[in-house]
Amino acid sequence: MSSARERYEAATRHLHPPFAVLDLAAFHANAADLARRAAGTPIRVVSKSIRCRHLLREALALPGFSGLMAFTLPEALWLARDGVCDDILVAYPTADTNAIAELAAHPDTARGITLMVDDVAHLDLITAAAPDPAHPIKVCIDIDTSWQPLGPRSRIGALRSPVRTPAQAAALARAITRDPRLHLDGIMAYEAQIAGVGDNPPGRPGYGRLLRWVQRHSQTELARRRAAIVNAVRDVADLRFVNGGGTGSLHTTRRERAITELAAGSGFYQPTLFDHYRGFSGRPAALFALPVVRRPAPGAVTVLGGGYPASGTADPTRLPSPHLPAGLSLSPTEGAGEVQTPLLGASAASLSIGDRVWLRHAKAGELCERFAELHLIDGDRLVATVPTYRGEGQTFL
Ligand SMILES: Cc1ncc(COP(=O)(O)O)c(C=O)c1O
């Protein structure tokens, strides 16, 4: 079997970089491993981490996956209308009154969409669109999963929902069930501080130990609280689902009895931020090729483009990484540039102007905001070219 680089080069010889590819074998191996770690608990596919309709359909057709987790309501409407999925949870609250009005006006579409709420103000925005009580809008309560060992000032975890206690969740559930224009569909509690933070940071063993200690305690605290919240809300209304976890925590979140389903997206593409977990290792599936356009000095080549940092804290882990050929790194003084990126290392000597360097993004779906197409590679063949959201003119965020 030839090397990954040889296969990618053979499959894309006729293309001119920059372009992005998806290695189908890696995508499917990653999907199978996500499903293995979920051990039978269904996984909702996180669309923000895929951002390509073709691949969303492909993921949904695989065993172990069911339902979509979308990132905006206009996106959910677009996907529902297209028939990509009839069970779409919009994972973040919306204040888009036009989109809410559209949802309320189309009960057939609305049947397949659930909105996220964590505040009575969200309920007011939804009911202001006057949904027909015969077709109530489905909503899901988002729960704060942060660990606060010394009270609210010691928050470890993302600032998302203000709903934290069983009493707060039950109060919001009662506000929902009191209004016939709303239907309480589920609970979501995503533990970003566990699922989205690699517990084995390279070269930082002490920090890794601390992280694992924090994650263990956070997990124990959350498991108890999540169960108590679910019990309190189930006293108010039936729930179709309780969603939790992400790529990094499927194998631990699924053990909680309160959880009925998981969510994952990044693990399909396996971007670099997911390389350093003890519990799993994926195969890089999404890559982009950039052309070598200069050889500025011995031990350096310059590729065109590459400045695609990932969202979040603006630190070097958010930058793209040269992947193939091995042995290249970003320049510490230049990083990844807007129009050109110098790459340093021994392999630079083997590269000529016109050659390609294959890079990986730090995050998953954001890559698709840079490229209109993904070229799908099977072995050493390019088997299809499919549009990303951007390629379809759909830039939701
Ligand atoms: C609500 C929610 N669930 C799950 C996830 C996990 O997604 P992924 O597997 O792509 O990291 C995220 C990611 O941010 C999220 O916001």
Side-chain angles (χ1 to χ4, degrees), residues 146-156 164 213 217 221:
S146 66
W147 186 42
Q148 304 184 355
L150 304 172
R153 291 195 172 181
S154 65
R155 160 190 296 275
I156 296 175
R164 182 168 177 82
W213 183 87
H217 283 79
E221 186 276 337

Side-chain angles (χ1 to χ4, degrees), residues 34 37 43-50 69-71 89-92 116 142 160 188-192 195-196 243-250 262-268 271 274 277 363-365:
L34 293 171
R37 287 198 288 126
I43 303 173
R44 203 176 268 282
V45 176
V46 177
S47 71
K48 80 178 171 70
S49 302
I50 297 193
M69 180 176 277
F71 56 108
L89 172 63
V90 183
Y92 315 94
M116 195 58 57
D142 193 4
R160 292 198 181 188
M188 185 187 81
Y190 168 59
E191 56 273 54
N243 184 286
T247 289
S249 77
L250 297 179
L262 301 158
S266 302
F268 286 94
F274 286 82
Y277 285 78
K363 276 199 164 178

Side-chain angles (χ1 to χ4, degrees), residues 145 147 156 191-201 207-223 248-249 251-252 256 276-279:
T145 64
W147 186 42
I156 296 175
E191 56 273 54
Q193 73 276 20
I194 302 171
V197 181
D199 62 357
N200 198 19
Y207 180 57
R209 273 193 297 278
L210 175 66
L211 260 181
R212 291 191 290 277
W213 183 87
V214 166
Q215 289 179 333
R216 237 182 1 259
H217 283 79
S218 174
Q219 197 183 314
T220 306
E221 186 276 337
L222 179 60
S249 77
H251 50 293
T252 49
E256 288 180 36
H276 305 294
Y277 285 78
R278 285 195 157 185

Side-chain angles (χ1 to χ4, degrees), residues 292-303 334 340-344 348 353:
V292 174
V293 287
R294 297 182 201 247
R295 294 166 49 83
V301 290
T302 300
V303 291
E334 293 195 48
Q340 45 183 6
T341 298
L343 299 173
L344 314 179
I353 289 173

Side-chain angles (χ1 to χ4, degrees), residues 323-355:
H323 180 52
L324 298 169
L328 292 172
S329 56
L330 297 177
S331 147
T333 51
E334 293 195 48
E338 182 180 4
V339 284
Q340 45 183 6
T341 298
L343 299 173
L344 314 179
S347 323
S350 68
L351 290 166
S352 308
I353 289 173
D355 285 349

